[in-house]
Amino acid sequence: MSRYIFTSERLGFRAYTPDDIDPIAAINSDKSVMEFFEKPMTAEDTLDFIRRQEEQLRLNGYCFFVTELIESQMVLGSIGLGYRDYPSPMRPFVDVGWRLKKSEWGKGYATEGAKACLAFGFAMGIPEIFAITPVINKPSERVMQKCGMQPFGQFDYPFLPSDHRLNPHLIYHIQNPLL
């Protein structure tokens, strides 16, 4: 039996195990990785993040999966889908996102992983998937574009003050081509 829920050419996507806490915490605490988030995550924040992903997987069949290089089984980070119900123009919605260790940037993993997660979500019957990022996060916007996502608008992320450096956020979306 495969350790992966699904795979792409180079990447495997799976549920969390206790062995993932340290590598995911190292990624989540890296200031470069978290540049476009409110702040780096503490070890406790990472445990909360992992618990939320486990709950999303249990309830919805998807989450921000542990993402590994299949060849080496090295943890690259988290790529996946999340159910969101906070105030936004698309409430409620499913979004795709990625967070990878800095040493693995620029190798196409975010785009490959996001495309695999979109395909996974579409196969589950999700009709439309969104992605959000601060306007200033051009690398993530490029990943959205490479995935075939289209601009949907902007909004102020509701958990940050409207004048915060990370507001406003761009919204991209893509329709399920299987429906």
Side-chain angles (χ1 to χ4, degrees), residues 114-159:
K115 285 180 176 179
C117 290
L118 289 170
F120 180 78
F122 291 150
M124 293 180 74
I126 298 170
E128 181 176 29
I129 298 175
F130 292 86
I132 65 167
T133 193
V135 169
I136 60 174
N137 188 349
K138 296 305 178 191
S140 280
E141 183 179 11
R142 281 193 294 281
V143 171
M144 295 169 191
Q145 293 164 346
K146 289 178 186 177
C147 289
M149 302 184 89
Q150 299 298 314
F152 186 83
Q154 293 185 9
F155 78 117
D156 280 346
Y157 188 68
F159 303 107

Side-chain angles (χ1 to χ4, degrees), residues 7 22 65 83 86 113 130 155:
T7 61
D22 289 341
F65 300 99
Y83 177 81
Y86 54 74
F130 292 86
F155 78 117

Side-chain angles (χ1 to χ4, degrees), residues 1-7 10-15 66-74:
M1 182 174 179
S2 173
R3 65 190 274 124
Y4 301 117
I5 297 169
F6 62 100
T7 61
R10 301 177 291 173
L11 307 177
F13 303 83
R14 63 173 177 77
V66 174
T67 306
E68 292 181 337
L69 271 179
I70 294 171
E71 186 177 297
S72 65
Q73 296 184 347
M74 177 180 72

Side-chain angles (χ1 to χ4, degrees), residues 33-106:
V33 171
M34 300 302 285
E35 176 183 1
F36 298 109
F37 289 84
E38 188 175 8
K39 63 183 190 301
M41 296 171 83
T42 65
E44 187 171 314
D45 293 335
T46 292
L47 286 174
D48 289 343
F49 168 79
I50 290 172
R51 286 187 200 109
R52 286 193 311 273
Q53 300 321 303
E54 291 170 335
E55 183 71 0
Q56 286 246 339
L57 184 59
R58 186 183 70 73
L59 291 175
N60 302 316
Y62 57 79
C63 67
F64 283 82
F65 300 99
V66 174
T67 306
E68 292 181 337
L69 271 179
I70 294 171
E71 186 177 297
S72 65
Q73 296 184 347
M74 177 180 72
V75 173
L76 296 176
S78 302
I79 306 176
L81 303 170
Y83 177 81
R84 310 288 181 226
D85 193 23
Y86 54 74
S88 71
M90 46 295 168
R91 177 184 190 174
F93 66 102
V94 175
D95 73 345
V96 62
W98 45 89
R99 187 178 308 158
L100 300 174
K101 65 169 60 176
K102 187 175 181 180
S103 64
E104 303 308 311
W105 292 359

Side-chain angles (χ1 to χ4, degrees), residues 13-41:
F13 303 83
R14 63 173 177 77
Y16 291 81
T17 70
D19 291 340
D20 297 318
I21 295 169
D22 289 341
I24 296 297
I27 293 164
N28 289 344
S29 66
D30 184 313
K31 289 180 182 174
S32 296
V33 171
M34 300 302 285
E35 176 183 1
F36 298 109
F37 289 84
E38 188 175 8
K39 63 183 190 301
M41 296 171 83

